[in-house]
Amino acid sequence: QVQLEESGGGSVQAGDSLRLSCAASGRSDTPSLMGWFHQRVGQERKFVAGAWVDGSTDYEETLKGRFTVSRVHNTVYLQINDLQPADTGVYFCAERYWLGSSSFSTLNDYNHWGHGTQVFVSS
């Protein structure tokens, strides 16, 4: 059974940085894509960044610059710099194993999800 476990969240002040981690387990093969989504209270889950098995990355255009995604085998990281109160929420890790699709930013592009890690940014 595939499991994703996020870590690295917490309560920080505006301007601080955090590095979120997500480790995948339960399968011997490597996910073709691992991604991060952000969900604020009362809002839908939104794509942040994704890291492909070939090393390439994709970002939500408006978040480029402060967010950096990286990946080592079955672990994906999200570095967030200059955190702002709007970054508050739950960050979810997701993955998929199937090939043949270049789509990466919708919920349906992934078939396994973690439980999320909470980030709170105070001003």
Side-chain angles (χ1 to χ4, degrees):
Q1 181 178 357
V2 174
Q3 289 187 323
L4 296 172
E5 184 170 354
E6 303 98 333
S7 61
S11 294
V12 298
Q13 293 187 329
D16 287 349
S17 297
L18 279 176
R19 189 189 195 208
L20 309 182
S21 301
C22 172
S25 62
R27 280 181 64 150
S28 59
D29 51 346
T30 301
S32 61
L33 174 65
M34 299 185 75
W36 288 98
F37 285 72
H38 175 223
Q39 186 169 22
R40 300 186 182 96
V41 174
Q43 297 186 21
E44 62 183 21
R45 202 170 295 187
K46 296 183 179 179
F47 175 74
V48 175
W52 297 86
V53 65
D54 66 358
S56 61
T57 57
D58 287 294
Y59 293 89
E60 161 59 38
E61 283 297 318
T62 61
L63 299 178
K64 282 185 177 180
R66 294 194 301 114
F67 291 75
T68 304
V69 65
S70 59
R71 177 176 169 178
V72 178
H73 299 303
N74 288 7
T75 300
V76 65
Y77 304 94
L78 185 68
Q79 176 73 33
I80 313 173
N81 296 327
D82 190 25
L83 279 151
Q84 301 300 313
D87 299 324
T88 293
V90 180
Y91 287 79
F92 293 91
C93 171
E95 66 176 5
R96 75 167 188 235
Y97 288 84
W98 73 81
L99 301 172
S101 170
S102 60
S103 181
F104 58 83
S105 64
T106 74
L107 302 182
N108 289 334
D109 291 324
Y110 302 82
N111 58 352
H112 298 114
W113 292 84
H115 295 294
T117 185
Q118 176 75 51
V119 172
F120 179 80
V121 185
S122 59
S123 57

